Amino acid sequence: MTNFLFSNVDTIELATKYGTPLYVVSEDLIVDRCKEIKKDYIQKFKNTMVAYASKAFLTKEMARIIKREGFGMDVVSGGELYTAIQVDFPMEKIIFHGNNKTREEIEMAVQNGVGRIVVDNFLELKLIEEIAEKYNKKMNILFRITPGINSHTHRYIQTGQIDSKFGIPLDKEIIYKFINTAMNSQYVDLKGFHFHIGSQIHENTAHVKAINILVKLAKTAKEDLGFITREINAGGGYGIRYGQGECRKPISYYTDAMMKELIDGCEKYGLERPMLIIEPGRWIVGEAGITLYTIGSIKEIPGVRTYVGIDGGMPDNPRPALYGAKYEGVIANKIDKKPIQNVTIAGKCCETGDILIWDLNVPQIETGDILAVLSTGAYNYSMASNYNRIPKPAVVMLREGKDRLIVKRETYDDILKNEI
Ligand code: LLP
């Protein structure tokens, strides 16, 4: 019998050793993605930076890997920043995001000396100035701009449109007030501008358009205010493969096009080319993760469908319920058998919408089989919940054919531990 190998490791052996449900993450695949970014972006173009978007998947071990790869890291909360601090992540490589950072979070960022804070609103700008003054520091900042672009992705993960909770509208009166305030402040150093237009985007056109808009902003801000843009941060959003008909494009598909637009625009307007920062999250870890489940009940509703119950579901993967996300899966212990039936993979929550995969072609399926759901590396563990008081799965990391536990499986007592 042949079992499904992921990153050269037998997934059935992993399921037996660690139990299910189980998140499995391949360090080899993460390192491959990092290599590609270094070769085709960092080494290809001067004055560039990569910050891994840690919201996609973050544990201390992941932060250590990103640190070792030499990338920066995008954090969006005190919790993500705390994780980075715990592994001595170089603070100057941290980019701190968020549309409503609290005073405590800004204080933490200033005290620890993060490299850049991406400012989303005026209250935040004032808070940073106040806190930087208190600690006698000058903080590097960028302004997050809403470029007014609709990217082709799910409505819930679009962020570049005008009607968005993120960013500063590209209205001259508004943005100039921000720039003037920063230029007159001794506590902030405004480096430039940031945009993030959305996630799981397969075309580069929206990113290129956003660069074009920011170059125009750099031009007018220079002419009108004498402000020199030294950095443009283009966020992340590069798509990966979840199912048939989708593919992960090379990073250069996005970065070459953005860089060309930036260089051309700067030449046209006589600007010095600013540093270009990218923040890929999903593109680095999405396909590097799978989730293993054990098949339980199999319920055939004659003439309707067959529901196959698994020992996990929306608590470990809320994406199908939230975004209608589609996943591919394989029966890991029957990888060499031909598909003969179409089934629906149902999670174990008390919730009709807890369906992981609506239509999956599988061989003859039996209780006790192991299902591997693919491309679960991004926004699964990081978005997991304890709904129905289901403990979160363990996380196992694979490297060169070896496995190591990086996050223990939660226990019922873990769920109760803060209760009085
Ligand atoms: N930079 C900023 C400022 C962001 O807000 C994000 C994602 C990224 C970078 C990384 O985007 P990525 O390269 O991973 O697409 N939970 C949703 C995705 C939300 C993304 C939020 N921001 C999902 O599961 O599809």
Side-chain angles (χ1 to χ4, degrees), residues 298-320:
I298 299 169
K299 187 180 297 176
E300 190 184 341
I301 306 178
V304 181
R305 62 174 65 247
T306 300
Y307 284 99
V308 170
I310 52 169
D311 53 357
M314 65 190 285
D316 64 77
N317 185 356
R319 300 193 68 260

PDB file of all heavy atoms in Angstrom, residues 298-320:
ATOM      1  N   ILE A 298     -19.976   8.001   8.129  1.00  0.00           N
ATOM      2  CA  ILE A 298     -20.234   8.151   6.688  1.00  0.00           C
ATOM      3  C   ILE A 298     -21.737   7.993   6.498  1.00  0.00           C
ATOM      4  O   ILE A 298     -22.306   6.948   6.831  1.00  0.00           O
ATOM      5  CB  ILE A 298     -19.446   7.094   5.887  1.00  0.00           C
ATOM      6  CG1 ILE A 298     -17.930   7.299   6.125  1.00  0.00           C
ATOM      7  CG2 ILE A 298     -19.782   7.183   4.391  1.00  0.00           C
ATOM      8  CD1 ILE A 298     -17.059   6.179   5.621  1.00  0.00           C
ATOM      9  N   LYS A 299     -22.361   9.059   6.030  1.00  0.00           N
ATOM     10  CA  LYS A 299     -23.822   9.062   5.982  1.00  0.00           C
ATOM     11  C   LYS A 299     -24.291   9.268   4.553  1.00  0.00           C
ATOM     12  O   LYS A 299     -24.066  10.334   3.980  1.00  0.00           O
ATOM     13  CB  LYS A 299     -24.321  10.209   6.866  1.00  0.00           C
ATOM     14  CG  LYS A 299     -25.802  10.265   7.065  1.00  0.00           C
ATOM     15  CD  LYS A 299     -26.169  11.438   7.968  1.00  0.00           C
ATOM     16  CE  LYS A 299     -25.564  11.267   9.356  1.00  0.00           C
ATOM     17  NZ  LYS A 299     -25.837  12.449  10.196  1.00  0.00           N
ATOM     18  N   GLU A 300     -24.905   8.247   3.998  1.00  0.00           N
ATOM     19  CA  GLU A 300     -25.375   8.383   2.626  1.00  0.00           C
ATOM     20  C   GLU A 300     -26.843   8.762   2.629  1.00  0.00           C
ATOM     21  O   GLU A 300     -27.671   8.065   3.208  1.00  0.00           O
ATOM     22  CB  GLU A 300     -25.153   7.064   1.875  1.00  0.00           C
ATOM     23  CG  GLU A 300     -25.408   7.237   0.389  1.00  0.00           C
ATOM     24  CD  GLU A 300     -25.307   5.940  -0.387  1.00  0.00           C
ATOM     25  OE1 GLU A 300     -24.705   4.991   0.133  1.00  0.00           O
ATOM     26  OE2 GLU A 300     -25.869   5.900  -1.497  1.00  0.00           O
ATOM     27  N   ILE A 301     -27.167   9.887   1.997  1.00  0.00           N
ATOM     28  CA  ILE A 301     -28.571  10.275   1.838  1.00  0.00           C
ATOM     29  C   ILE A 301     -28.926   9.911   0.399  1.00  0.00           C
ATOM     30  O   ILE A 301     -28.467  10.595  -0.534  1.00  0.00           O
ATOM     31  CB  ILE A 301     -28.770  11.772   2.118  1.00  0.00           C
ATOM     32  CG1 ILE A 301     -28.194  12.111   3.496  1.00  0.00           C
ATOM     33  CG2 ILE A 301     -30.236  12.149   2.003  1.00  0.00           C
ATOM     34  CD1 ILE A 301     -28.277  13.567   3.867  1.00  0.00           C
ATOM     35  N   PRO A 302     -29.660   8.827   0.210  1.00  0.00           N
ATOM     36  CA  PRO A 302     -29.839   8.278  -1.145  1.00  0.00           C
ATOM     37  C   PRO A 302     -30.333   9.332  -2.130  1.00  0.00           C
ATOM     38  O   PRO A 302     -31.268  10.080  -1.842  1.00  0.00           O
ATOM     39  CB  PRO A 302     -30.890   7.177  -0.957  1.00  0.00           C
ATOM     40  CG  PRO A 302     -30.795   6.809   0.491  1.00  0.00           C
ATOM     41  CD  PRO A 302     -30.418   8.061   1.224  1.00  0.00           C
ATOM     42  N   GLY A 303     -29.658   9.409  -3.232  1.00  0.00           N
ATOM     43  CA  GLY A 303     -30.036  10.343  -4.295  1.00  0.00           C
ATOM     44  C   GLY A 303     -29.666  11.787  -3.993  1.00  0.00           C
ATOM     45  O   GLY A 303     -29.937  12.681  -4.791  1.00  0.00           O
ATOM     46  N   VAL A 304     -29.083  12.060  -2.836  1.00  0.00           N
ATOM     47  CA  VAL A 304     -28.745  13.448  -2.474  1.00  0.00           C
ATOM     48  C   VAL A 304     -27.227  13.608  -2.382  1.00  0.00           C
ATOM     49  O   VAL A 304     -26.592  14.158  -3.268  1.00  0.00           O
ATOM     50  CB  VAL A 304     -29.432  13.876  -1.157  1.00  0.00           C
ATOM     51  CG1 VAL A 304     -29.084  15.322  -0.809  1.00  0.00           C
ATOM     52  CG2 VAL A 304     -30.944  13.713  -1.264  1.00  0.00           C
ATOM     53  N   ARG A 305     -26.628  13.121  -1.318  1.00  0.00           N
ATOM     54  CA  ARG A 305     -25.169  13.171  -1.194  1.00  0.00           C
ATOM     55  C   ARG A 305     -24.696  12.297  -0.042  1.00  0.00           C
ATOM     56  O   ARG A 305     -25.509  11.851   0.787  1.00  0.00           O
ATOM     57  CB  ARG A 305     -24.660  14.602  -1.014  1.00  0.00           C
ATOM     58  CG  ARG A 305     -25.127  15.316   0.225  1.00  0.00           C
ATOM     59  CD  ARG A 305     -24.468  16.678   0.402  1.00  0.00           C
ATOM     60  NE  ARG A 305     -24.815  17.644  -0.628  1.00  0.00           N
ATOM     61  CZ  ARG A 305     -23.950  18.118  -1.516  1.00  0.00           C
ATOM     62  NH1 ARG A 305     -22.700  17.729  -1.492  1.00  0.00           N
ATOM     63  NH2 ARG A 305     -24.325  18.985  -2.418  1.00  0.00           N
ATOM     64  N   THR A 306     -23.411  12.091   0.007  1.00  0.00           N
ATOM     65  CA  THR A 306     -22.814  11.328   1.106  1.00  0.00           C
ATOM     66  C   THR A 306     -21.993  12.282   1.967  1.00  0.00           C
ATOM     67  O   THR A 306     -21.057  12.914   1.475  1.00  0.00           O
ATOM     68  CB  THR A 306     -21.922  10.191   0.552  1.00  0.00           C
ATOM     69  OG1 THR A 306     -22.742   9.334  -0.245  1.00  0.00           O
ATOM     70  CG2 THR A 306     -21.289   9.388   1.670  1.00  0.00           C
ATOM     71  N   TYR A 307     -22.392  12.397   3.227  1.00  0.00           N
ATOM     72  CA  TYR A 307     -21.633  13.222   4.169  1.00  0.00           C
ATOM     73  C   TYR A 307     -20.586  12.376   4.872  1.00  0.00           C
ATOM     74  O   TYR A 307     -20.911  11.335   5.447  1.00  0.00           O
ATOM     75  CB  TYR A 307     -22.563  13.824   5.228  1.00  0.00           C
ATOM     76  CG  TYR A 307     -23.395  14.988   4.727  1.00  0.00           C
ATOM     77  CD1 TYR A 307     -24.723  14.799   4.332  1.00  0.00           C
ATOM     78  CD2 TYR A 307     -22.854  16.264   4.658  1.00  0.00           C
ATOM     79  CE1 TYR A 307     -25.489  15.873   3.876  1.00  0.00           C
ATOM     80  CE2 TYR A 307     -23.596  17.337   4.202  1.00  0.00           C
ATOM     81  CZ  TYR A 307     -24.916  17.141   3.814  1.00  0.00           C
ATOM     82  OH  TYR A 307     -25.655  18.201   3.367  1.00  0.00           O
ATOM     83  N   VAL A 308     -19.341  12.854   4.811  1.00  0.00           N
ATOM     84  CA  VAL A 308     -18.253  12.143   5.472  1.00  0.00           C
ATOM     85  C   VAL A 308     -17.774  13.019   6.630  1.00  0.00           C
ATOM     86  O   VAL A 308     -17.320  14.150   6.412  1.00  0.00           O
ATOM     87  CB  VAL A 308     -17.109  11.865   4.466  1.00  0.00           C
ATOM     88  CG1 VAL A 308     -15.874  11.359   5.183  1.00  0.00           C
ATOM     89  CG2 VAL A 308     -17.565  10.863   3.408  1.00  0.00           C
ATOM     90  N   GLY A 309     -17.894  12.519   7.848  1.00  0.00           N
ATOM     91  CA  GLY A 309     -17.546  13.314   9.031  1.00  0.00           C
ATOM     92  C   GLY A 309     -16.072  13.205   9.364  1.00  0.00           C
ATOM     93  O   GLY A 309     -15.483  12.121   9.308  1.00  0.00           O
ATOM     94  N   ILE A 310     -15.452  14.337   9.699  1.00  0.00           N
ATOM     95  CA  ILE A 310     -14.042  14.324  10.117  1.00  0.00           C
ATOM     96  C   ILE A 310     -13.935  14.810  11.563  1.00  0.00           C
ATOM     97  O   ILE A 310     -14.872  15.422  12.087  1.00  0.00           O
ATOM     98  CB  ILE A 310     -13.162  15.215   9.205  1.00  0.00           C
ATOM     99  CG1 ILE A 310     -13.761  16.627   9.088  1.00  0.00           C
ATOM    100  CG2 ILE A 310     -12.980  14.584   7.836  1.00  0.00           C
ATOM    101  CD1 ILE A 310     -12.861  17.645   8.431  1.00  0.00           C
ATOM    102  N   ASP A 311     -12.755  14.597  12.162  1.00  0.00           N
ATOM    103  CA  ASP A 311     -12.571  14.953  13.577  1.00  0.00           C
ATOM    104  C   ASP A 311     -12.124  16.406  13.777  1.00  0.00           C
ATOM    105  O   ASP A 311     -11.613  16.762  14.831  1.00  0.00           O
ATOM    106  CB  ASP A 311     -11.613  13.966  14.268  1.00  0.00           C
ATOM    107  CG  ASP A 311     -10.287  13.807  13.536  1.00  0.00           C
ATOM    108  OD1 ASP A 311     -10.122  14.420  12.454  1.00  0.00           O
ATOM    109  OD2 ASP A 311      -9.413  13.065  14.034  1.00  0.00           O
ATOM    110  N   GLY A 312     -12.294  17.221  12.756  1.00  0.00           N
ATOM    111  CA  GLY A 312     -12.008  18.666  12.874  1.00  0.00           C
ATOM    112  C   GLY A 312     -13.079  19.414  12.125  1.00  0.00           C
ATOM    113  O   GLY A 312     -14.205  18.931  11.999  1.00  0.00           O
ATOM    114  N   GLY A 313     -12.694  20.583  11.579  1.00  0.00           N
ATOM    115  CA  GLY A 313     -13.681  21.348  10.825  1.00  0.00           C
ATOM    116  C   GLY A 313     -13.462  22.831  10.992  1.00  0.00           C
ATOM    117  O   GLY A 313     -12.309  23.288  11.039  1.00  0.00           O
ATOM    118  N   MET A 314     -14.538  23.590  11.140  1.00  0.00           N
ATOM    119  CA  MET A 314     -14.384  25.053  11.154  1.00  0.00           C
ATOM    120  C   MET A 314     -13.542  25.603  12.308  1.00  0.00           C
ATOM    121  O   MET A 314     -12.965  26.675  12.146  1.00  0.00           O
ATOM    122  CB  MET A 314     -15.725  25.776  11.027  1.00  0.00           C
ATOM    123  CG  MET A 314     -16.684  25.588  12.144  1.00  0.00           C
ATOM    124  SD  MET A 314     -18.303  26.272  11.698  1.00  0.00           S
ATOM    125  CE  MET A 314     -17.990  28.009  11.865  1.00  0.00           C
ATOM    126  N   PRO A 315     -13.376  24.907  13.424  1.00  0.00           N
ATOM    127  CA  PRO A 315     -12.464  25.481  14.431  1.00  0.00           C
ATOM    128  C   PRO A 315     -11.005  25.478  13.942  1.00  0.00           C
ATOM    129  O   PRO A 315     -10.261  26.391  14.255  1.00  0.00           O
ATOM    130  CB  PRO A 315     -12.630  24.552  15.637  1.00  0.00           C
ATOM    131  CG  PRO A 315     -13.920  23.861  15.436  1.00  0.00           C
ATOM    132  CD  PRO A 315     -14.081  23.728  13.957  1.00  0.00           C
ATOM    133  N   ASP A 316     -10.596  24.484  13.163  1.00  0.00           N
ATOM    134  CA  ASP A 316      -9.209  24.491  12.671  1.00  0.00           C
ATOM    135  C   ASP A 316      -9.102  25.102  11.278  1.00  0.00           C
ATOM    136  O   ASP A 316      -8.019  25.481  10.851  1.00  0.00           O
ATOM    137  CB  ASP A 316      -8.604  23.071  12.696  1.00  0.00           C
ATOM    138  CG  ASP A 316      -9.317  22.119  11.757  1.00  0.00           C
ATOM    139  OD1 ASP A 316      -9.084  22.192  10.552  1.00  0.00           O
ATOM    140  OD2 ASP A 316     -10.136  21.299  12.241  1.00  0.00           O
ATOM    141  N   ASN A 317     -10.220  25.197  10.553  1.00  0.00           N
ATOM    142  CA  ASN A 317     -10.203  25.835   9.234  1.00  0.00           C
ATOM    143  C   ASN A 317     -11.522  26.578   8.979  1.00  0.00           C
ATOM    144  O   ASN A 317     -12.457  26.025   8.387  1.00  0.00           O
ATOM    145  CB  ASN A 317      -9.952  24.811   8.125  1.00  0.00           C
ATOM    146  CG  ASN A 317      -9.815  25.485   6.766  1.00  0.00           C
ATOM    147  OD1 ASN A 317      -9.981  26.707   6.642  1.00  0.00           O
ATOM    148  ND2 ASN A 317      -9.522  24.707   5.746  1.00  0.00           N
ATOM    149  N   PRO A 318     -11.576  27.844   9.397  1.00  0.00           N
ATOM    150  CA  PRO A 318     -12.825  28.595   9.229  1.00  0.00           C
ATOM    151  C   PRO A 318     -13.011  29.174   7.827  1.00  0.00           C
ATOM    152  O   PRO A 318     -14.027  29.796   7.550  1.00  0.00           O
ATOM    153  CB  PRO A 318     -12.663  29.735  10.241  1.00  0.00           C
ATOM    154  CG  PRO A 318     -11.190  29.963  10.319  1.00  0.00           C
ATOM    155  CD  PRO A 318     -10.537  28.625  10.084  1.00  0.00           C
ATOM    156  N   ARG A 319     -12.057  28.970   6.926  1.00  0.00           N
ATOM    157  CA  ARG A 319     -12.076  29.676   5.641  1.00  0.00           C
ATOM    158  C   ARG A 319     -13.237  29.281   4.711  1.00  0.00           C
ATOM    159  O   ARG A 319     -13.820  30.159   4.085  1.00  0.00           O
ATOM    160  CB  ARG A 319     -10.723  29.537   4.920  1.00  0.00           C
ATOM    161  CG  ARG A 319      -9.554  30.122   5.746  1.00  0.00           C
ATOM    162  CD  ARG A 319      -8.275  30.286   4.956  1.00  0.00           C
ATOM    163  NE  ARG A 319      -8.406  31.320   3.950  1.00  0.00           N
ATOM    164  CZ  ARG A 319      -8.632  31.106   2.687  1.00  0.00           C
ATOM    165  NH1 ARG A 319      -8.711  29.869   2.220  1.00  0.00           N
ATOM    166  NH2 ARG A 319      -8.759  32.115   1.852  1.00  0.00           N
ATOM    167  N   PRO A 320     -13.615  27.991   4.630  1.00  0.00           N
ATOM    168  CA  PRO A 320     -14.780  27.691   3.781  1.00  0.00           C
ATOM    169  C   PRO A 320     -16.046  28.391   4.302  1.00  0.00           C
ATOM    170  O   PRO A 320     -16.799  28.960   3.521  1.00  0.00           O
ATOM    171  CB  PRO A 320     -14.904  26.166   3.877  1.00  0.00           C
ATOM    172  CG  PRO A 320     -13.511  25.703   4.172  1.00  0.00           C
ATOM    173  CD  PRO A 320     -12.940  26.764   5.079  1.00  0.00           C
TER     174      PRO A 320
END
